[in-house]
Amino acid sequence: MELSAGEVIRIGSRKSRLAVMQAELIRAQIGRAYPGIRTELVTMKTTGDKILDQSLETIGGKGLFVKELDQALLDGTIDLAVHSLKDLPMEENEELPIAAYSVREDPRDVLIFRSGTEVFPQNGILGTSSRRRAIQMKRLYPYCTLQGIRGNVQTRLRKLEEEGMDGTILAAAGLKRLGLELPGRYFSVEEMIPAAGQGDPCRTDPKRRKITAHVRNVGMRQTALCSQ
């Protein structure tokens, strides 16, 4: 099942630097598998990207990171959308199933220290809005103080310095893809259970069967199995 000459696969992504890099990984995989296929990157800001002064639980949950991309798929504005698995709601959208997963990255979490420090104090201030990370940090550092922090990687690193926090927790996968080497502590998966999966799932509209077939052919079966 081949695409017609001149057809383009439009790949949807959030606008953050990390999201674009992850979409480019998928774009490269498609290019290697199908050298004759043209691809185009379409970026957009989601509701979750726009509202940064409230917790996700307050404004509607993780689905706010995918709402606009899902609608673009249904409208036909894009042909596939690239997400981080941890940003998808637990309930799968039956209209827009996951067609494939990219290569899985390092699943660990990293405690990033404020500049000029080499350790997180036992009674330090930790910036995180993740309940999973907060609960586990309280077990590792019972005297730490939790402070909400939202935004992409660069925004959270800036807030770490500007708002007087001693540390924040970021995904090792994101740091590695951005090429960032920062002072911090890489937690083992036994110390801090990571988010389920660090592959980048691609959603497609199954009615566009040719697109779905091409995307499935470049997916990584091992990542899919790890993400079940």
Side-chain angles (χ1 to χ4, degrees):
M1 187 178 293
E2 296 294 330
L3 292 173
S4 304
E7 283 193 72
V8 178
I9 295 180
R10 296 160 299 174
I11 303 171
S13 166
R14 292 164 60 193
K15 277 192 172 182
S16 76
R17 182 181 166 196
L18 177 57
V20 169
M21 290 189 73
Q22 291 174 163
E24 289 288 3
L25 288 174
I26 299 295
R27 189 178 187 182
Q29 285 178 239
I30 294 173
R32 286 192 295 270
Y34 302 100
I37 289 181
R38 294 170 54 208
T39 56
E40 175 185 322
L41 193 61
V42 180
T43 62
M44 59 191 73
K45 270 196 171 185
T46 66
T47 303
D49 296 314
K50 296 172 185 175
I51 304 175
L52 298 178
D53 58 349
Q54 301 176 58
S55 70
L56 285 177
E57 293 176 0
T58 302
I59 60 177
K62 290 186 175 183
L64 295 179
F65 286 120
V66 302
K67 181 180 176 183
E68 284 80 2
L69 288 163
D70 282 353
Q71 191 58 53
L73 276 172
L74 294 172
D75 292 344
T77 307
I78 59 175
D79 300 302
L80 67 94
V82 180
H83 302 284
S84 289
L85 184 60
K86 61 184 177 58
D87 291 336
L88 292 179
M90 291 295 292
E91 302 79 18
E92 187 166 349
N93 186 332
E94 294 183 0
E95 285 187 287
L96 301 171
I98 294 172
Y101 293 82
S102 73
V103 175
R104 193 181 192 210
E105 247 298 356
D106 188 337
R108 294 177 296 169
D109 282 315
V110 188
L111 173 58
I112 301 298
F113 308 142
R114 188 179 71 245
S115 295
T117 62
E118 297 180 355
V119 67
F120 182 79
Q122 286 294 327
N123 61 346
I125 300 173
L126 176 80
T128 183
S129 291
S130 163
R131 181 180 293 181
R132 172 185 62 82
R133 287 168 171 166
I135 290 172
Q136 296 187 91
M137 273 297 288
K138 272 297 189 180
R139 177 173 54 82
L140 295 168
Y141 295 88
Y143 301 108
C144 75
T145 300
L146 301 175
Q147 181 172 318
I149 185 173
R150 294 231 8 254
N152 59 37
V153 172
Q154 286 77 18
T155 298
R156 280 183 278 172
L157 290 174
R158 175 177 54 78
K159 288 182 177 181
L160 170 63
E161 303 297 331
E162 294 178 354
E163 298 182 11
M165 291 174 276
D166 296 294
T168 188
I169 302 178
L170 299 172
L175 295 175
K176 290 185 176 183
R177 284 173 175 163
L178 290 169
L180 295 176
E181 295 184 8
L182 302 170
R185 173 183 175 182
Y186 278 72
F187 293 115
S188 69
V189 294
E190 289 77 24
E191 290 176 311
M192 181 168 288
I193 299 171
Q198 281 292 356
D200 306 315
C202 300
R203 271 183 171 170
T204 61
D205 183 344
K207 294 190 293 294
R208 296 202 283 280
R209 288 177 293 176
K210 289 189 291 185
I211 298 289
T212 301
H214 280 73
V215 173
R216 281 180 177 156
N217 285 342
V218 301
M220 301 299 294
R221 176 172 170 76
Q222 184 178 7
T223 307
L225 291 173
C226 290
S227 302
Q228 298 303 312

